[in-house]
Amino acid sequence: MTIQHPFPLYHSLFLLFLATTTTLISPSLGALRKCHPSDYKALMSIKNSLHKPYILDSWVQNTDCCNKWMGVSCNHTTNRVYDLSLFVGEISGQIPSSVGDLPYLESLFFSHYKNISGSIPQSITKLKHLRMLGFNNMSLSGPIPHFLNQLTALTYLDLSYNQFSGSIPPNLSDLKHIGYINLAENKLTGSIPESFGNFTGIVPYLYLNGNKLTGPIPKSLGAMDFGQIDLSRNKLVGDASMLFHPNSSTWHIDLSRNQFEFDLTKVKFPKDLNWLDISRNKIFGGIPEEIKGLEQLNELKLGYNRLCGKIPTGGIMQRFKSTCFYHNKCLE
């Protein structure tokens, strides 16, 4: 009888044991192979600063932050974190200064967290690649920081629906690539900076509505070609007619609930205008006949002004109910 040597069996069992124990006792050896160590450290610091909220339960210690971590996205080539976007669940505290330790971030969003208060940490000025910044629908307070102009790559800025107070930093116009500024629904005071007409880039979207801004609109804004501009629900005065240009690309203008005074008769509307709300001001004159040729116009509110004369008929005017013209001086 031939007795088979037991070594092949022992050898196989040993290899199986080695593979199993390596996986069990050293998960970090392979688990962090994509997530850059410094990014991993910064994210864990952020989680700890936010008191380890349950929405960050997927941020498990010694696992790959580039693999299914809530709100985290990595570049497939460099494996560096380029996006941190948190929108859901409950988070309290302040925005951690360690967000500035993610040097390759291109977009950073904290949104709809009413229990996040305090100010914007200056550490974000280290984010030289940051293009999109959204800290909105929270309870941030204090002045809007002047250091935001150091985010030289920024194209998108949304600080709306917070408790920011004080004046608008004039040096935001230093942002050469900015295309979207939303400071709506805060407690901002003072005037719109004259420098806002000096943006070297294109600023098609500007939202300053729902603040406590005063004074006239800077004439320099007339040089800007806005896609959308909303200055509603402030205490602005004077002439706003410089915002209307027949050859501009503007399609949304909301100037409602201010104290603007200008002659609407002399206004030349942008041909692609889709939304026009100038209600609850002190605007006088008549409604230009050209308005009925604005084929894209779907929203029109002219009520509570001092307009006179005949309401144009024909064309698109059949779209609008009489309530669009209520409470004027002598419209017919």
Side-chain angles (χ1 to χ4, degrees), residues 25-322:
I25 67 176
S26 303
S28 61
L29 294 177
L32 296 179
R33 66 185 182 278
K34 289 185 179 180
C35 185
H36 193 278
S38 65
D39 290 350
Y40 169 81
K41 181 180 178 180
L43 290 169
M44 293 306 294
S45 176
I46 291 170
K47 179 179 180 179
N48 291 333
S49 297
L50 294 173
H51 315 296
K52 301 180 180 180
Y54 75 89
I55 69 161
L56 300 185
D57 283 351
S58 61
W59 294 22
V60 178
Q61 191 171 5
N62 292 330
T63 61
D64 183 6
C65 71
C66 295
N67 184 23
K68 298 181 180 180
W69 275 32
M70 173 74 178
V72 177
S73 298
C74 296
N75 183 288
H76 294 305
T77 302
T78 65
N79 293 322
R80 300 305 299 261
V81 174
Y82 75 90
D83 174 72
L84 176 59
S85 298
L86 300 175
F87 296 95
V88 299
E90 294 185 7
I91 294 179
S92 60
Q94 298 186 352
I95 297 173
S97 61
S98 45
V99 295
D101 296 327
L102 296 168
Y104 289 89
L105 272 187
E106 297 178 17
S107 55
L108 173 60
F109 288 90
F110 280 67
S111 180
H112 292 86
Y113 297 121
K114 288 300 182 182
N115 290 325
I116 288 187
S117 58
S119 58
I120 298 175
Q122 189 164 359
S123 62
I124 69 169
T125 58
K126 296 188 290 183
L127 304 177
K128 301 305 181 184
H129 299 281
L130 195 67
R131 296 185 297 109
M132 305 183 73
L133 174 62
F135 290 155
N136 60 293
N137 287 270
M138 298 195 291
S139 297
L140 301 180
S141 59
I144 293 176
H146 282 70
F147 57 69
L148 293 180
N149 74 325
Q150 297 179 40
L151 299 172
T152 55
L154 210 61
T155 64
Y156 178 103
L157 175 64
D158 186 356
L159 303 179
S160 62
Y161 292 89
N162 279 288
Q163 303 293 322
F164 288 115
S165 57
S167 58
I168 300 172
N171 66 1
L172 288 180
S173 62
D174 294 343
L175 299 171
K176 300 183 184 302
H177 306 290
I178 198 74
Y180 181 103
I181 297 177
N182 192 343
L183 308 179
E185 301 297 336
N186 281 287
K187 298 178 179 180
L188 299 173
T189 56
S191 58
I192 300 173
E194 183 75 30
S195 62
F196 270 34
N198 300 326
F199 285 100
T200 56
I202 298 175
V203 188
Y205 302 100
L206 178 63
Y207 303 93
L208 303 178
N209 49 293
N211 282 288
K212 299 178 180 180
L213 300 175
T214 56
I217 296 176
K219 291 183 179 179
S220 61
L221 257 63
M224 300 298 299
D225 187 5
F226 296 105
Q228 294 190 36
I229 182 166
D230 192 340
L231 306 179
S232 64
R233 288 174 287 119
N234 281 288
K235 299 178 181 180
L236 298 167
V237 302
D239 189 358
S241 62
M242 80 286 287
L243 300 176
F244 297 84
H245 301 288
N247 297 319
S248 72
S249 57
T250 306
W251 61 275
H252 181 114
I253 298 177
D254 194 339
L255 307 177
S256 62
R257 297 177 184 270
N258 281 285
Q259 300 176 39
F260 290 124
E261 296 183 64
F262 60 90
D263 187 352
L264 189 63
T265 309
K266 299 179 180 180
V267 165
K268 302 296 181 182
F269 298 108
K271 61 182 181 302
D272 293 325
L273 195 62
N274 175 269
W275 179 294
L276 177 62
D277 188 350
I278 58 173
S279 62
R280 298 181 184 273
N281 280 286
K282 300 178 181 179
I283 299 168
F284 55 91
I287 304 174
E289 284 288 324
E290 304 92 84
I291 197 170
K292 64 185 183 183
L294 300 176
E295 296 181 358
Q296 306 300 320
L297 191 62
N298 288 310
E299 185 73 23
L300 178 64
K301 296 181 180 180
L302 306 180
Y304 294 87
N305 277 294
R306 299 174 179 177
L307 298 173
C308 278
K310 292 186 176 181
I311 299 174
T313 58
I316 66 165
M317 300 307 291
Q318 61 185 356
R319 300 175 187 172
F320 308 114
K321 299 179 179 180
S322 59

